[in-house]
Amino acid sequence: MLGEDHAIVIEFPEHKEKISELNKTDSAFAESARRYHALDQEIRALELDNAPIDDDAMHQLKHDRAVLKDEIYQRLQA
């Protein structure tokens, strides 16, 4: 779905408290979360503006977001 919000707390609502805690206490987690949020915002803005970039570039942005999401999930499971 175009323009869908993939915020970390929406993707992992069961980990909302841990996300908040790690954002305050773990600078590496906070940086990953910040990068994820920035990528998600960029992707949503492009989708809502009819993606004025080529498909390969959009695919790379979504891939990068997925990699960060996986890293964040691994940290939440630790």
Side-chain angles (χ1 to χ4, degrees):
M1 201 169 188
L2 294 179
E4 189 173 342
D5 189 352
H6 289 277
I8 294 170
V9 294
I10 292 173
E11 295 293 307
F12 306 118
E14 68 279 11
H15 295 291
K16 187 176 180 177
E17 289 179 25
K18 190 166 186 178
I19 291 167
S20 178
E21 176 188 327
L22 288 172
N23 270 321
K24 294 174 189 172
T25 61
D26 185 327
S27 61
F29 180 89
E31 177 60 20
S32 291
R34 185 201 62 75
R35 288 184 6 239
Y36 178 90
H37 178 71
L39 267 174
D40 186 50
Q41 282 189 318
E42 181 179 1
I43 291 166
R44 279 188 289 145
L46 288 167
E47 287 176 340
L48 293 173
D49 197 25
N50 295 317
I53 62 173
D54 64 44
D55 287 344
D56 289 338
M58 179 62 88
H59 177 73
Q60 185 63 50
L61 289 174
K62 289 183 177 185
H63 171 77
D64 294 346
R65 181 179 64 185
V67 168
L68 279 170
K69 182 179 174 181
D70 288 345
E71 289 175 15
I72 289 167
Y73 182 73
Q74 292 303 315
R75 290 298 316 270
L76 293 172
Q77 294 302 306

